[in-house]
Amino acid sequence: MAKKVTVRTIQKIKDNNEKFSMLTAYDYSTAKYIDEAGIDVILIGDSLAMTALGYETTHAIGVDEMKIFTKAVAKGVNHAMVVTDMPFLSYHTDVATAIKNCGEMIKLGANAVKIEGADEYIYEVIRRLVGCGIPVMGHVGFTPQFLNTIGGYNIQGKSFEAASDILFQCSRLEQAGVFSIVLEMVPEESAKYISENLTVPTISCGAGRYCTGQVIVCDDLFGKFSDFKPKFARRYGDMKSLILNCAKQFNEDVKNGSYPNDNEVFKLSEDELEQFKRHIC
Ligand code: KIV
């Protein structure tokens, strides 16, 4: 069996100029197959608020919901590093609450947490989490939990000045002790500049080819989520059609009587059947 991916594995991959893969997963069986496929990092992304729970943004999901999905995913994984995305306002009010909420995810089987932002308060939160033995993945560039202050799904780091600002944020995260940083929706030249000036690996979520890791939301990869498709999300399957076809065929088979067939039912023994026959007029 392949060795468990840890923070050390992730750093070694960057140091060796290699690449790692990261996918989201929200349930036990998907996590199990993704792990079996050799994916290095599995993220219980708060994107599940939109893809699995049908919320309009990631804001509505809470710690209790993330705990359920963390538990399910962690049970399916042997090899990959399991990272839980901390939901909106679960680490913002004070450091003690942040430690409590993040610690809960580790107790449920996550190996690390991901938190968005890079201001001075977040620096302190990360420093303290790492001090407690909780590895932290940072997330800058476009940060969905800041959607309302950013003012839309806008690409970040579009000038040298803006990219330098992101690099400054990343350096602060690095000093705080993160083991990796997601760069979301950043032009690849900016992401390259940022990545080359950091020691920890960066993970591209629509940030081009020069990051150490690449992440995609699993529902986008499978072609399952169809409300919208980000430019950078490559579809490797058409799960929407698969689900539609299966459900349509089942609906037809139930209605035309071909489901269930003789192999799909439980049968009485001959003796019991005789008893039934005797009681049928
Ligand atoms: O919520 C999520 O799935 C994420 C990844 C896309 C990075 O944050």
Side-chain angles (χ1 to χ4, degrees), residues 6 29 32 47 71 106 116 119 130 136 143 150 159 172-173 185 195 229 238 240 252 277:
T6 70
S29 55
K32 198 166 176 222
S47 52
K71 212 172 171 175
I106 303 295
E116 296 184 9
D119 65 14
V130 176
V136 180
T143 40
I150 291 172
S159 64
R172 182 148 57 190
L173 294 180
M185 293 216 296
S195 303
K229 182 190 129 12
D238 186 4
K240 179 185 168 183
E252 255 177 57
K277 281 180 183 163

Side-chain angles (χ1 to χ4, degrees), residues 24 26 43 45-47 85 114 139 182 205 215 217:
T24 65
Y26 315 122
L43 173 72
D46 64 353
S47 52
D85 217 358
K114 174 166 85 58
H139 185 160
V182 170
C205 179
V215 61
V217 165

Side-chain angles (χ1 to χ4, degrees), residues 46 58 85 91-92 114-118 122 138-139 143-146:
D46 64 353
T58 59
D85 217 358
Y91 50 94
H92 303 79
K114 174 166 85 58
I115 70 178
E116 296 184 9
I122 294 293
H139 185 160
T143 40
Q145 292 175 13
F146 292 80

Side-chain angles (χ1 to χ4, degrees), residues 67-129:
K67 277 161 90 175
I68 294 168
F69 291 97
T70 294
K71 212 172 171 175
V73 167
K75 278 184 188 295
V77 178
N78 287 313
H79 154 80
M81 171 186 265
V82 175
V83 182
T84 295
D85 217 358
M86 295 310 296
F88 183 56
L89 297 189
S90 65
Y91 50 94
H92 303 79
T93 51
D94 56 85
V95 174
T97 307
I99 293 174
K100 179 183 171 295
N101 288 335
C102 295
E104 296 284 352
M105 303 306 172
I106 303 295
K107 286 183 189 174
L108 291 171
N111 307 120
V113 296
K114 174 166 85 58
I115 70 178
E116 296 184 9
D119 65 14
E120 281 167 27
Y121 167 74
I122 294 293
Y123 169 88
E124 189 53 23
V125 169
I126 293 170
R127 213 181 58 78
R128 295 285 299 281
L129 286 169

Side-chain angles (χ1 to χ4, degrees), residues 161-222:
E161 219 176 35
S164 300
D165 191 41
I166 297 177
L167 174 58
F168 175 76
Q169 293 174 17
C170 290
S171 301
R172 182 148 57 190
L173 294 180
E174 194 169 85
Q175 276 170 30
V178 296
F179 70 94
S180 60
I181 304 170
V182 170
L183 298 178
E184 181 160 353
M185 293 216 296
V186 173
E188 80 167 353
E189 299 86 345
S190 302
K192 181 174 189 283
Y193 168 68
I194 295 162
S195 303
E196 284 174 355
N197 282 285
L198 292 172
T199 305
V200 296
T202 56
I203 304 160
S204 164
C205 179
R209 290 162 282 192
Y210 300 101
C211 296
T212 305
Q214 291 289 338
V215 61
I216 297 189
V217 165
C218 66
D219 283 39
D220 288 331
L221 188 97
F222 301 149

Side-chain angles (χ1 to χ4, degrees), residues 151-163:
Y153 290 88
N154 303 321
I155 298 163
Q156 305 293 302
K158 283 165 72 177
S159 64
F160 177 70
E161 219 176 35

